[in-house]
Amino acid sequence: MSAGMSMHASGTEEYQAVFTGATLERLQEILTRYPNRQAALLPALWLVQEARGWISDRNMAEVAELLGLTPAYVKGVVTFYTMYHQHPVGKNFVQVCTTSPCNICGAEDVAMAFLEHTGAKELGATSPDGNWTVIEVECLGACGFATPVMINDDFIESVTPDKVPELVRKYR
Amino acid sequence: MGFPHTPHPRETLVLSKHFGDTDARTYKGWVKRGGYEMLNQALAMEPAAIIEEVKASGLRGRGGAGFPTGLKWSFMPREKKKPHYLCVNADESEPGTFKDREIMRWTPHGLLEGTAIAAHAIQADVTYIYIRGEFTEAWDIMERALAEANAAGVFGKIKIYLHRGAGAYICGEETAMMNSIEGKRGNPRIKPPFPAAAGLFGMPTTINNVETLAAVPLILENGAAWYKGLCLSNPKSTGTKLLSVCGHVQKPGNYEVTMGFPLKDLLYDLCGGMRPGRTLKAVIPGGSSVPILNREEAESTLLDYEGCVEKGTMLGSGGVIVFDDSADLVYQIMRLARFYAHESCAQCTQCREGTAWTTKILERILAGQGKMADLDLLLDLADNMTGKTICVLSDSCAAPVVSGIKKFRNEFEAYITGNRKPVIAA
């Protein structure tokens, strides 16, 4: 079974496989880079997250079947890496670096400003309109440009609390 | 995206010569600047001759450990009986460090050229460049550069692929990185076997840092003697080092200086000193994993491997974190401990428990509920976390705690005695 087409969710809704068409082709190209199928696991999980926004247990089972692994093994890997979402997040996912080098430059105020202006209220929670999830993240590796913030795949440097309202308007 | 600062006259521009020049990012632009010439020459050389040249240059690993690069390459089997692999460590995530990101952003072809030369020197069939998941801009630039170089056919038989990390500091540890590429949790492996004997997919493997490999084409171009001559202090530390300066200085950023450059001059001259009305309190010179220096120590440190060891710390990755007198070191050390607790892979008990309890005790002190005995408890924990685990993450958590308590004990005591108001909720 190559694309998991015969898989069904446990409920009544039919599971829509991620790895079909162009996504499956991309995975097949990725598989040529490694001497075994397991090594394509991290790239495959990225493809799932790109397509669905997060990685469900059912997605993990599909990946497991494609790569010859068990669902439990795949889950073990997913849970190790913080960038893989095991639950849906807001349309805009905001990560504010608050590790020491940014912390001493006021990073916690930046995180608070995002909570205030997005309505997300609490770190890790999603705003009632479903548009925003804000988290504190450990070192983003841009300490000289405090405070770096990632909004989805965009990497934004030198964010201060006064720049937050404009950023929120831009992504809203 | 930020552009780098205008170079300071006291910098030595070797790796950073083309930083800020967008044309140098393109294949054509790189070739126009003499790029890929050294790769062409290297591909016609015997691998052993390249290794000898790099050995003679004195180049040491820029990721943190400072191991001699040529010597590392020479551990790979000379007679190739199995596939050989090269892994490029672009998982830069040591707090305070942001130099590899800058190399990938501005001179992706310089990194690719050094990578291909190294692959030829160790007879690697396949190379994986492991880029941390958060470096989306660097990834796009590297992907474009790799496609251009492949289209031009510059790598010959050498295959280079990018591999994206997914948010795990520990994957910057070389054996954890190999597990991660293999599609596993990023748990470090017990050594031996060392990677050169049994590494990625069980095959002979070398792992090199981005900054290390970016220096290789320049060493071949200008000669080992030139590189060796770039030295202001101890002859065991040669070449230039990119220092990422962050925290409380007027002009943070990446500064490239010759090995042995005085830390004092870096801070007060190149980086413009402290903010008005502020004075220097402490410096972590080599990324958050190395011991903290107080002001007197920092102002007399020479920035090379030996100069930092002389002051009881390490050059590490060259991430210089600067704290002025406004910084609450107890709180910042707690933040570092929390970082290590978050990033522990949890394989070893000393690390899993030690990083978590260190964080909890520091939080308790900051909440005004600490006891004097907590300081000894922290030191005792740190002792049990040092030199007793598979990798050095646990040691890295202990380093700022031990040096912090030793050098800034009064700040901890102030929270315990109630002379300082609690800053976090109990």
Side-chain angles (χ1 to χ4, degrees):
Chain A
M1 183 162 35
S2 60
M5 291 303 286
S6 71
M7 296 176 182
H8 294 271
S10 51
T12 50
E13 210 176 310
E14 194 168 330
Y15 176 70
Q16 296 289 316
V18 173
F19 291 95
T20 58
T23 311
L24 183 61
E25 277 170 34
R26 279 178 71 189
L27 180 66
Q28 273 155 354
E29 185 277 316
I30 287 166
L31 281 164
T32 65
R33 304 174 189 175
Y34 304 98
N36 64 38
R37 296 177 83 76
Q38 177 176 309
L41 180 52
L42 266 65
L45 292 170
W46 276 121
L47 289 176
V48 173
Q49 188 152 306
E50 209 175 282
R52 293 282 162 85
W54 66 290
I55 304 171
S56 69
D57 284 358
R58 200 61 197 74
N59 295 144
M60 293 181 213
E62 184 189 347
V63 170
E65 185 148 4
L66 280 168
L67 300 182
L69 305 166
T70 65
Y73 177 85
V74 173
K75 189 159 195 167
V77 172
V78 169
T79 53
F80 187 86
Y81 297 93
T82 55
M83 291 184 80
Y84 295 134
H85 302 311
Q86 297 160 63
H87 303 283
V89 293
K91 190 184 95 187
N92 293 305
F93 186 66
V94 182
Q95 305 182 70
V96 183
C97 174
T98 53
T99 309
S100 297
C102 292
N103 200 289
I104 56 173
C105 297
E108 289 185 18
D109 295 338
V110 176
M112 289 308 119
F114 270 105
L115 287 181
E116 188 190 319
H117 291 280
T118 59
K121 297 216 167 54
E122 197 184 324
L123 290 170
T126 298
S127 61
D129 61 6
N131 279 338
W132 299 92
T133 306
V134 181
I135 65 159
E136 286 188 3
V137 68
E138 294 294 353
C139 194
L140 281 178
C143 324
F145 312 95
T147 296
V149 173
M150 281 193 85
I151 304 183
N152 308 322
D153 274 344
D154 298 340
F155 201 106
I156 305 150
E157 296 168 350
S158 308
V159 180
T160 47
D162 59 298
K163 290 181 186 163
V164 170
E166 198 197 318
L167 281 170
V168 171
R169 262 197 303 277
K170 189 178 155 196
Y171 283 86
R172 179 165 276 145
Chain B
M1 283 297 161
F3 274 71
H5 59 262
T6 314
H8 190 280
R10 292 185 68 190
E11 282 188 76
T12 308
L13 307 185
V14 174
L15 301 172
S16 60
K17 196 175 155 194
H18 302 297
F19 281 10
D21 177 356
T22 48
D23 188 51
R25 278 178 180 167
T26 64
Y27 174 74
K28 273 189 187 158
W30 192 248
V31 169
K32 204 161 68 193
R33 287 162 183 78
Y36 288 117
E37 201 126 301
M38 282 308 118
L39 175 60
N40 290 334
Q41 288 186 26
L43 291 177
M45 284 168 77
E46 279 299 314
I50 300 172
I51 295 176
E52 282 314 307
E53 189 72 5
V54 172
K55 261 189 190 171
S57 75
L59 176 66
R60 293 166 67 176
R62 300 296 195 239
F67 194 82
T69 306
L71 188 61
K72 192 188 238 185
W73 292 358
S74 73
F75 294 156
M76 293 290 280
R78 277 203 160 191
E79 223 178 294
K80 192 171 150 187
K81 292 183 181 141
K82 299 173 181 171
H84 287 189
Y85 289 100
L86 172 67
C87 298
V88 180
N89 191 340
D91 191 46
E92 180 166 67
S93 33
E94 173 79 9
T97 317
F98 46 97
K99 63 188 176 66
D100 297 339
R101 173 173 178 264
E102 215 66 351
I103 291 173
M104 291 189 280
R105 286 172 78 195
W106 296 111
T107 57
H109 288 286
L111 172 60
L112 289 172
E113 186 173 6
T115 298
I117 294 170
H120 177 63
I122 63 162
Q123 305 180 69
D125 309 82
V126 176
T127 294
Y128 299 104
I129 303 180
Y130 189 103
I131 301 177
R132 72 175 288 186
E134 292 88 346
F135 280 175
T136 46
E137 191 207 14
W139 173 279
D140 290 344
I141 294 169
M142 286 297 297
E143 200 173 44
R144 212 174 305 136
L146 182 59
E148 281 180 322
N150 275 331
V154 293
F155 301 131
K157 285 182 296 179
I158 299 163
K159 290 195 179 73
I160 301 177
Y161 300 114
L162 306 185
H163 189 99
R164 188 179 178 192
Y169 166 75
I170 192 57
C171 290
E173 197 276 345
E174 60 179 15
T175 60
M177 175 170 292
M178 296 190 297
N179 277 342
S180 186
I181 295 172
E182 291 181 12
K184 299 173 180 165
R185 292 166 71 91
N187 290 344
R189 301 177 184 173
I190 292 170
K191 293 189 270 194
F194 290 95
L200 188 63
F201 305 113
M203 301 300 164
T205 302
T206 292
I207 300 99
N208 285 129
N209 169 262
V210 166
E211 187 186 357
T212 312
L213 292 179
V216 169
L218 296 151
I219 289 170
L220 294 190
E221 185 185 344
N222 300 297
W226 161 78
Y227 198 77
K228 225 180 154 152
L230 294 169
C231 172
L232 297 173
S233 177
N234 194 302
K236 285 182 191 158
S237 293
T238 63
T240 59
K241 180 82 191 81
L242 276 169
L243 295 161
S244 308
V245 189
C246 64
H248 291 145
V249 287
Q250 301 249 35
K251 290 185 276 183
N254 281 299
Y255 293 85
E256 186 172 16
V257 295
T258 304
M259 280 286 188
F261 196 84
L263 176 55
K264 188 179 180 178
D265 294 359
L266 175 70
L267 299 181
Y268 294 104
D269 193 1
L270 278 61
C271 298
M274 304 297 111
R275 298 174 296 176
R278 291 288 172 196
T279 52
L280 179 65
K281 183 195 263 187
V283 178
I284 303 181
S288 63
S289 299
V290 309
I292 303 172
L293 298 172
N294 63 27
R295 181 181 171 171
E296 293 70 37
E297 290 166 333
E299 289 182 349
S300 58
T301 298
L302 295 178
L303 289 164
D304 62 14
Y305 297 106
E306 292 72 25
C308 287
V309 168
E310 203 176 290
K311 299 291 173 187
T313 187
M314 285 179 285
L315 183 63
S317 55
V320 182
I321 310 172
V322 184
F323 301 92
D324 71 20
D325 56 345
S326 73
D328 178 347
L329 283 183
V330 184
Y331 188 78
Q332 295 311 328
I333 290 168
M334 181 278 288
R335 287 296 314 213
L336 289 180
R338 190 186 280 177
F339 170 84
Y340 290 108
H342 184 263
E343 301 299 337
S344 171
C345 85
Q347 268 191 116
C348 306
T349 313
Q350 294 90 331
C351 180
R352 182 183 64 242
E353 300 298 318
T355 55
W357 280 106
T358 299
T359 308
K360 281 181 200 168
I361 296 167
L362 287 167
E363 284 172 347
R364 177 164 84 197
I365 292 173
L366 286 159
Q369 300 188 336
K371 296 174 286 227
M372 274 304 172
D374 283 346
L375 297 183
D376 285 338
L377 182 58
L378 282 169
L379 293 174
D380 187 42
L381 258 177
D383 186 47
N384 280 311
M385 290 163 69
T386 306
K388 296 181 176 69
T389 46
I390 293 173
C391 81
V392 294
L393 189 142
S394 176
D395 308 56
S396 301
C397 179
V401 174
V402 173
S403 54
I405 293 176
K406 192 173 148 200
K407 295 170 190 177
F408 301 94
R409 194 178 179 100
N410 58 338
E411 294 198 23
F412 291 81
E413 287 178 350
Y415 276 111
I416 295 168
T417 57
N419 283 340
R420 196 158 181 178
K421 279 206 308 214
V423 288
I424 61 175

